[in-house]
Amino acid sequence: MSEYPAGRALTARSLALVCKLEVGLPRLMLIWVLFAGFACGLRVAFAATPILTPGDELGNALPYLLLVVAPIVTVLLGLSAFPATALHAQPTQRLARFGRWRRVDAVTARSMPLYGATGFMASLLVGILINVPVRTFEFLTGIPALGGMAPDWFRTLYAMMLADLVLLSCLYALAFVLALRHVPLFPRFLAAVWAIDILMQICIARVMGNVANLPPSVSASLADMLEGNLKKVLISVAIWLPYLLLSRRVNLTYRWRVPA
C-alpha cells in the first residue's frame, strides 16, 4: 500500500520520476553545464563595468566557472561517498522525537513497501534540485559582472552574493544526493541547510548595511531580494519540516522506524 489513500498511481509516477532522476543524472549535469555556461558567458560579455586587461577578463570569468562547476563536483563527490548499495549507519542521537515509533532493522526497512524516496518525497527531491538553477538565474539576472572598474561597494556585494550562491548550491546539491541515496543524515542535514540559508541572508544584509556609498536604489533592490530569499526558505520549512518529522515514509526510509 502507498503512504496516503490517494496513493498507488502517485507512488508509481513518483517512482518513475525518481528512477529517471538517478539514471538521468549525467544528462542533467551535462545540460546544466551547457545552459549555465552559456548564461554565464552572456553575463560576462555584457559586463556593467568595462574589462580593461586580460587579467581582468580572466578574473571576471573565474567566479562564473566556479558557480557552474561547484554543484557538479558536489554531486559527483556525494554519489561516490554514498553508494546506492551501501547501508549507512543511523545517527547516535535521535533528534526527531515526535510521535510513537518502533525501531526496525535496515534489512526489514528496505523490504517494506513504503521504503524509498517516492511519493511526496519525490516532490521534495525535485524542489531541492531546482534550488540550484533558480538561485543561479537570480544571481545572473540581478548581479552584473564585476568588470575592471567596479566601485568598492559593488565588489563587496558581488563577493557576498557569489559566496551565498556557491555555498548554498553545493549544500542543496549534497542534500539531493543524501535524499536520493537514502542516507539517514538527510533530514537533519536539510534542516541545517535551511538554517545556513537563513543566516546567509541575514549576514549579507548586515554586511551590506555597513558598506559606505551604497546607492539607495541598490539597497532597496537588495533588501527585496534578501526578503524574497528568506520567504522562500521559510515557506519551504513550513511545508516540509512537518512532513520530515511525521511522514511514515521518511521515518521508515531515513530513520528505520515504523508507527508503534
Side-chain angles (χ1 to χ4, degrees), residues 201 220-234:
Q201 310 313 307
S221 298
L222 178 62
D224 290 341
M225 180 183 294
L226 297 179
E227 183 181 355
N229 289 342
L230 277 174
K231 286 181 179 178
K232 284 184 286 188
V233 178
L234 293 175

Side-chain angles (χ1 to χ4, degrees), residues 1-45:
M1 292 180 65
S2 61
E3 184 179 7
Y4 297 100
R8 295 186 178 179
L10 172 63
T11 300
R13 289 195 297 269
S14 63
L15 179 60
L17 174 61
V18 172
C19 291
K20 287 180 180 179
L21 281 176
E22 185 155 19
V23 173
L25 267 180
R27 180 180 297 178
L28 286 176
M29 289 189 287
L30 177 60
I31 293 173
W32 162 255
V33 170
L34 293 176
F35 278 89
F38 178 73
C40 290
L42 288 178
R43 179 79 275 183
V44 173

